[in-house]
Amino acid sequence: MLKINGQRLWNSLMELAEIGGTPLGGVKRVTCTDEDRRGREWFTKQVTALGCTVDIDPMGNMFARRPGKNNSLDPVMMGSHLDSQPTGGKFDGAYGVLAGLEVLRTLTDQNIITEHPLELVSWTNEEGARFSPAMIGSGVFIGEFSLEYAYGREDIDGFKQGDELKRIGYIGTSPLGERKFAAAFELHIEQGPILELEGKQIGVVGGVQGIRWYDLVLTGEETHSGTCPMSYRRDPVLACTSLIDKIYALADKHGEQARVTLARIVPSPNVRNTVPGTLLITIDFRHPDPDVLAAMDADLHAIVAEGDPRGRVQVSVEQIWYSPPVVFAPVCVDAVRSGAAELGYSTIEMYSGAGHDSVYISKVAPTSMIFIPCKDGLSHNERESITPEDAANGANVLLHAVLKLAQGGSM
Ligand SMILES: [Zn+2]
């Protein structure tokens, strides 16, 4: 079976990682900085050496195009991002782009021209570390955000995203909203521990978990911690213990894929010798199935309706965000699954727990993702690490998934 050149892929990963490389072995290539610009220039040099043209849209998204036999067909796309967290690793994002580059190099080596053209995309500001929100390049591309909104986002020093994009020279002229993809694939490190723990080589990603965020508020009454007897208190912290138990129990009730996180628990006033008057608890629910997520929502409201067992504290909850689960296109997921099987790799079917550009792209094109293991599940960390072998495996799956969809003329 046709395979990519694993050593060449690895060398490119290491070469790019020198741009913004940190002493601890990570990468600081934050969006719209000079390092980002140098990373983009490096990328352009590699793809133009292969004969690709590069289009840039007004959001700085870069599209390297390799012509096919029938250039009236929509391209099959591979893409991810070249920006990093301020203390990021070498592989988050960059791996997906460089594996796509290695696929193009392999096809060129073999003189293979696909029926569909191919496009390798690097999306602007996936990380959201400097300008929030995350995934804004792909978000603007699909019309989720306006260009004006994106340009106006400010970093903590008051620099605007649009000005910084202009400063590094990446406000392009390729029209937004006109580009179509026949299919799209994003190869990424898992950023979690499942593949490593299960001893599998490839994650076949069926979609992205849905998310519901809530603010749970318990309201009692502030009082003196010394003078007020326990039996007179309306203490929200005392009341929260049984509620927290019940909320965590929803994770067990709704199965292995359910995630329940209560990560901020904030009494007010936050003072040692005052019984707090209120308590805010943030709730993060995740599940790949919207029906299960809705059932978790109903259960939460039932718990809140039951209220404080002692009847001394008011309990209320408000949903503040809902991101529905994403189900990737079966045609793309099948291409990944069968490609991995033909290559003889061990696989596991999984959902992404993190957001990716593919969440947005899946709204405008058949899309799926491929995951490879990363050491200790670590990402957004300078110690982020993968093996050259896993890197090559993922790129081989990408190659064959792309070939499956780029060779048929009638998508
Ligand atoms: Zn990423």
Side-chain angles (χ1 to χ4, degrees):
M1 251 180 119
L2 181 61
K3 295 235 174 123
I4 59 93
N5 181 333
Q7 187 61 50
R8 181 170 58 188
L9 168 60
W10 192 256
N11 292 347
S12 290
L13 284 164
M14 294 306 119
E15 196 180 321
L16 175 65
E18 287 173 17
I19 301 175
T22 63
L24 290 178
V27 167
K28 181 180 184 181
R29 203 166 47 240
V30 175
T31 193
C32 302
T33 59
D34 290 335
E35 288 75 28
D36 182 18
R37 176 180 52 75
R38 287 169 57 213
R40 290 165 178 269
E41 287 166 359
W42 183 91
F43 173 73
T44 301
K45 196 171 144 201
Q46 310 307 315
V47 290
T48 49
L50 291 171
C52 294
T53 52
V54 179
D55 282 353
I56 300 166
D57 73 14
M59 194 54 220
N61 298 313
M62 302 176 74
F63 306 86
R65 185 179 173 96
R66 183 179 196 265
K69 287 181 190 155
N70 183 350
N71 291 304
S72 64
L73 296 173
D74 292 332
V76 172
M77 185 270 264
M78 304 173 278
S80 196
H81 58 98
L82 292 175
D83 70 315
S84 82
Q85 290 283 316
T87 53
K90 298 185 187 80
F91 306 105
D92 175 2
Y95 170 59
V97 177
L98 297 204
L101 173 65
E102 178 54 38
V103 166
L104 298 181
R105 286 172 169 167
T106 301
L107 296 176
T108 299
D109 289 347
Q110 303 293 325
N111 295 312
I112 295 170
I113 308 290
T114 50
E115 193 68 28
H116 286 252
L118 302 180
E119 288 198 357
L120 175 58
V121 182
S122 175
W123 301 108
T124 294
N125 188 14
E126 190 278 343
E127 294 290 356
R130 181 179 179 196
F131 305 103
S132 70
M135 306 182 285
I136 199 167
S138 51
V140 169
F141 177 81
I142 69 145
E144 180 80 13
F145 308 107
S146 73
L147 195 56
E148 294 66 39
Y149 172 79
Y151 283 176
R153 306 303 295 158
E154 286 185 10
D155 69 9
I156 54 166
D157 299 316
F159 289 101
K160 288 195 163 68
Q161 183 160 238
D163 296 341
E164 287 294 276
L165 199 54
K166 187 174 178 194
R167 186 184 67 78
I168 65 165
Y170 278 86
I171 292 193
T173 54
S174 172
L176 277 168
E178 288 183 12
R179 214 172 199 94
K180 305 245 181 312
F181 302 123
F185 294 96
E186 182 171 10
L187 171 60
H188 207 282
I189 62 169
E190 182 198 338
Q191 304 182 284
I194 295 170
L195 287 167
E196 192 177 57
L197 290 172
E198 299 283 332
K200 303 292 187 188
Q201 292 165 302
I202 296 291
V204 178
V205 186
V208 182
Q209 289 179 340
I211 306 170
R212 285 179 186 265
W213 279 359
Y214 306 86
D215 282 347
L216 180 72
V217 177
L218 285 70
T219 307
E221 191 165 47
E222 277 174 54
T223 184
H224 194 292
S225 66
T227 57
C228 185
M230 298 304 283
S231 58
Y232 284 89
R233 292 184 184 187
R234 298 177 51 214
D235 180 351
V237 174
L238 183 62
C240 85
T241 55
S242 68
L243 283 170
I244 287 177
D245 276 346
K246 288 180 197 166
I247 295 167
Y248 273 121
L250 297 181
D252 289 332
K253 178 180 172 186
H254 291 285
E256 206 185 327
Q257 309 241 23
R259 309 257 190 278
V260 172
T261 305
L262 313 182
R264 287 187 68 213
I265 300 182
V266 188
S268 173
N270 201 347
V271 171
R272 185 185 295 263
N273 56 353
T274 296
V275 176
T278 61
L279 182 68
L280 166 72
I281 301 177
T282 65
I283 302 177
D284 176 322
F285 281 173
R286 304 199 185 208
H287 200 281
D289 182 337
D291 294 340
V292 178
L293 212 48
M296 291 168 73
D297 176 76
D299 285 346
L300 175 64
H301 281 90
I303 291 167
V304 169
E306 280 173 31
D308 171 21
R310 296 176 191 83
R312 305 188 70 86
V313 167
Q314 299 293 321
V315 185
S316 66
V317 72
E318 187 189 355
Q319 179 174 297
I320 59 163
W321 186 46
Y322 176 48
S323 172
V326 172
V327 178
F328 285 145
V331 64
C332 293
V333 179
D334 286 347
V336 170
R337 185 185 293 118
S338 58
E342 288 157 21
L343 287 155
Y345 300 146
S346 57
T347 61
I348 187 167
E349 306 276 327
M350 60 194 301
Y351 289 87
S352 175
H356 292 286
D357 292 309
S358 290
V359 170
Y360 287 140
I361 302 311
S362 68
K363 296 185 181 184
V364 298
T367 299
S368 74
M369 295 189 71
I370 307 159
F371 282 167
I372 63 158
C374 56
K375 190 165 188 305
D376 302 327
L378 213 56
S379 184
H380 288 195
N381 188 313
E382 290 167 277
R383 289 193 292 123
E384 185 183 86
S385 171
I386 63 175
T387 67
E389 187 193 352
D390 284 329
N393 293 348
N396 282 323
V397 175
L398 179 66
L399 168 68
H400 285 281
V402 164
L403 284 176
K404 282 173 200 296
L405 293 191
Q407 296 293 41
S410 60
M411 279 205 51

